[in-house]
Amino acid sequence: MAGRSPRAEGRPVRAIVTDLDGTFLKSATELHPRSVEAFRAAARSGLGVVFATGRPPRWVDVLDPLADIEPVVISTNGAVLYDLARHEVLDHHDLDVADALGFAAALAERVPDVCFAVEYAHAEWGTDPRYERLLEEGRRRPASIAPLEELLGLDAAVKLLVVSPGTSTEALAEASRRAAGGRINVTFSTLRAQGLVECSAPGVTKAAMLADVLERMGVDPSEAMAFGDMPNDADMLDMVGYPYVMSNAHPSLLDGRYPVAGANTEGAVGAVVEREVLGGP
């Protein structure tokens, strides 16, 4: 799909928004030089630069080389607004404890081997004992290991992580949506045989936080360009004037609705920004 082209339309882009994993990043720990330089040039030109990720604040240090351009960071799937340059949480949207516990109980009836972890607005993350035992060797250990009810009371809980060793991500997401009953927003940002889904408060999404960010910038969503690769990016892509997906995106995003930028490993985000925003070849 060709999609709308800001260069062809002659309408300037005033803000650029991108997901991280599978999109802006070359790998989980590596920035792509082409995308970095394109975003630096965009910032110098006065464009707003926004990163929107499912990662929590404790895991966005991969962006530290770009802290000097003072990007806005929407983290934890829209539950946290983070100041990268000052390492400061600016805003957060918390889970309701009773709703989270009700959801967890309903899901456990459907998927008995589920286990849970909690991401906090300020503190380090915590897991229940079953989740902790599933963590891969070398993975950063949780600060707290306790039953879910106790974890939810330790700090402002902004995201509930759900894992099932015996259920794929997409099947677990479907079961989670059925168990949620409107109490929880369910999404996912990776596909695994050992399913992992991410749960936030109702209405908390990358798109919802982005709408607030763009309003503060004085930018209409039609003047924004966004990049993504997974279902947790879909609402964000739908709200902007110039959405792009990666060639490595989830099949649900490669259905012709969005133009395809290319692969994250090739710096495709930077290439599109150079061509369509900065006026390069």
Side-chain angles (χ1 to χ4, degrees):
M1 175 180 176
R4 296 174 58 205
S5 165
R7 187 173 183 179
E9 292 184 2
R11 182 173 184 179
V13 171
R14 298 182 58 208
I16 304 171
V17 190
T18 183
D19 171 54
L20 290 184
D21 293 282
T23 305
F24 186 78
L25 298 182
K26 185 176 181 180
S27 70
T29 59
E30 187 179 7
L31 297 165
H32 197 289
R34 185 172 193 176
S35 295
V36 167
E37 289 309 309
F39 273 52
R40 286 194 174 280
R44 287 194 299 269
S45 299
L47 277 70
V49 173
V50 183
F51 294 100
T53 178
R55 294 187 180 205
R58 63 184 175 84
W59 202 22
V60 297
D61 54 352
V62 67
L63 292 174
D64 283 349
L66 283 167
D68 60 300
I69 68 172
E70 299 189 349
V72 175
V73 178
I74 296 169
S75 82
T76 327
N77 284 329
V80 177
L81 189 64
Y82 186 65
D83 187 321
L84 180 69
R86 296 168 182 79
H87 301 288
E88 178 184 354
V89 172
L90 303 176
D91 194 10
H92 56 91
H93 300 288
D94 306 340
L95 290 159
D96 180 89
V97 172
D99 284 346
L101 289 173
F103 159 73
L107 180 58
E109 291 180 359
R110 291 170 167 80
V111 187
D113 68 349
V114 289
C115 47
F116 302 93
V118 176
E119 291 285 1
Y120 303 107
H122 305 286
E124 285 285 332
W125 71 316
T127 72
D128 68 20
R130 288 203 295 179
Y131 193 110
E132 193 273 339
R133 288 194 291 270
L134 293 173
L135 293 176
E136 298 173 358
E137 187 72 25
R139 176 77 184 273
R140 188 172 179 175
R141 313 318 286 181
S144 303
I145 304 172
L148 180 59
E149 184 172 8
E150 183 176 334
L151 292 174
L152 288 167
L154 294 178
D155 188 46
V158 292
K159 183 163 76 169
L160 186 64
L161 298 167
V162 182
V163 164
S164 166
T167 312
S168 70
T169 292
E170 290 181 305
L172 182 60
E174 179 59 27
S176 296
R177 292 187 186 103
R178 292 180 181 276
R183 297 171 290 191
I184 293 289
N185 183 57
V186 177
T187 191
F188 60 89
S189 58
T190 185
L191 292 177
R192 311 189 323 174
Q194 184 184 88
L196 170 65
V197 300
E198 305 162 48
C199 305
S200 306
V204 174
T205 63
K206 290 183 182 183
M209 184 67 86
L210 178 60
D212 290 342
V213 167
L214 292 178
E215 183 176 5
R216 295 176 200 179
M217 288 181 172
V219 175
D220 189 273
S222 66
E223 301 171 308
M225 174 180 285
F227 300 85
D229 75 311
M230 291 297 287
N232 63 331
D233 299 317
D235 288 349
M236 177 178 76
L237 295 170
D238 287 340
M239 73 173 287
V240 302
Y242 303 105
Y244 288 84
V245 295
M246 313 310 291
S247 59
N248 48 279
H250 186 271
S252 65
L253 301 186
L254 293 172
D255 60 358
R257 285 179 293 165
Y258 314 108
V260 177
N264 67 303
T265 54
E266 298 172 358
V269 170
V272 171
V273 172
E274 288 173 1
R275 182 182 71 247
E276 296 291 343
V277 181
L278 302 175

